[in-house]
Amino acid sequence: MAVEALGATVVVSTHRRRDGRWLWVLPPLLLIGVLVVYPLVLVAIESIPAWGDVVGSAEFRDALVRTVQIAVSSTVGCLIVGTFLAVVISFVPFPGARVVAGLVDTMLALPSFLVALSFTFIYGTTGILRAGGFLTSPWAVVLAEVTFYTPFVMRPLLAAMSRLPRAQLDVAASLGAGPWRVLRQVVLPEVRPALVAGGGLTLLLTLNEFGIVLFLGAKGTTTLPMLVHTKGIVMFDYPGACVIAVVQIALSLGLYAVLRMALGGRRARLD
């Protein structure tokens, strides 16, 4: 009897501890609900009357297309430049490689408008190259975003390449494979998850980039974040700004879900 009573007491206390653990979930859920969910619900409600006018306008369609074009172009540029620099730093010995890797980490901590500011000193009408026409073109925005977001691709690639077994590369080279073949058939397949993660993060960030576009003020580069700023702050069209904000959120969440499924499928195949 004493043993049964003791066992029942242990079971009851275990259930109480498990039930008590759920109480710790409530504070973060409440915080997320107040700081994130509630404002998003208000934005969605405020946008309801203006959906037809905003979505049907040419201004919105042009901004949507321009946002996707700039984000995709910048991401492709970051992938190309980031992969090249990561390969050079990881596999081509040269003095100062650690300094360059440290500068990459430093770039991650800088605000994006500093890159746009430096572009005015280089390409502005009174800058070094005095290419004012280029500074006001969409290509200036793309180049500025490539300059700023390339470290977001390089950092995971450098980490992945540092874990590659050197013996695997030596075996491939001893079998007669040239450097390009080793890179294409050995290195890139091994670091593909890091490449997808870095490229996905860069695409998300460039899709929502505001500081570089605003600071450069390039012609024909009205993106969705810029349109939210124009309608909400300049024109005081809050319902219209809310519509564009909801579309921007939907694009970001949709892209994030696709990336999660892609990386999840990759892990499932590995398991």
Side-chain angles (χ1 to χ4, degrees):
M1 295 294 293
V3 174
E4 292 178 357
L6 179 60
T9 303
V10 171
V11 171
V12 171
S13 62
T14 302
H15 282 297
R16 286 178 178 176
R17 286 198 299 270
R18 290 178 178 176
D19 293 339
R21 291 176 183 176
W22 287 102
L23 296 176
W24 291 100
V25 181
L26 294 178
L29 286 179
L30 182 62
L31 188 64
I32 293 173
V34 172
L35 298 180
V36 179
V37 178
Y38 179 65
L40 291 180
V41 170
L42 291 180
V43 169
I45 294 174
E46 185 73 19
S47 69
I48 293 175
W51 272 93
D53 295 335
V54 174
V55 176
S57 65
E59 182 184 34
F60 170 79
R61 293 194 298 269
D62 292 342
L64 177 60
V65 172
R66 182 64 69 184
T67 300
V68 175
Q69 287 177 341
I70 291 177
V72 172
S73 300
S74 301
T75 302
V76 171
C78 289
L79 289 173
I80 295 174
V81 177
T83 303
F84 172 75
L85 294 178
V87 169
V88 171
I89 294 174
S90 299
F91 302 113
V92 181
F94 65 93
R98 291 185 178 180
V99 175
V100 174
L103 290 176
V104 171
D105 294 334
T106 304
M107 283 289 295
L108 297 175
L110 297 178
S112 60
F113 74 86
L114 287 181
V115 175
L117 179 63
S118 66
F119 270 42
T120 61
F121 290 110
I122 298 175
Y123 302 105
T125 54
T126 59
I128 299 174
L129 299 180
R130 296 184 180 180
F134 170 75
L135 192 63
T136 58
S137 68
W139 291 110
V141 176
V142 172
L143 182 59
E145 291 187 359
V146 170
T147 303
F148 181 75
Y149 287 110
T150 291
F152 289 85
V153 174
M154 287 180 60
R155 188 68 268 174
L157 281 178
L158 288 173
M161 290 177 182
S162 65
R163 293 194 297 268
L164 280 176
R166 300 292 171 173
Q168 185 177 359
L169 303 179
D170 295 337
V171 169
S174 65
L175 293 176
W180 289 109
R181 187 176 180 182
V182 172
L183 177 64
R184 185 177 67 256
Q185 297 184 354
V186 179
V187 176
L188 291 182
E190 290 293 331
V191 301
R192 189 175 300 159
L195 197 63
V196 172
L201 175 61
T202 303
L203 185 57
L204 276 172
L205 294 174
T206 53
L207 195 68
N208 296 282
E209 176 57 39
F210 174 71
I212 290 177
V213 182
L214 177 66
F215 202 94
L216 288 179
K219 298 177 182 178
T221 54
T222 302
T223 59
L224 290 180
M226 278 293 297
L227 200 55
V228 172
H229 174 266
T230 301
K231 285 188 173 294
I233 304 301
V234 180
M235 302 174 61
F236 299 104
D237 181 8
Y238 297 113
C242 290
V243 171
I244 302 166
V246 171
V247 173
Q248 186 76 28
I249 294 169
L251 283 175
S252 300
L253 293 179
L255 178 59
Y256 177 75
V258 170
L259 293 173
R260 289 279 299 187
M261 287 190 293
L263 292 176
R266 169 77 178 182
R267 293 192 188 99
R269 288 192 297 271
L270 292 176
D271 295 338

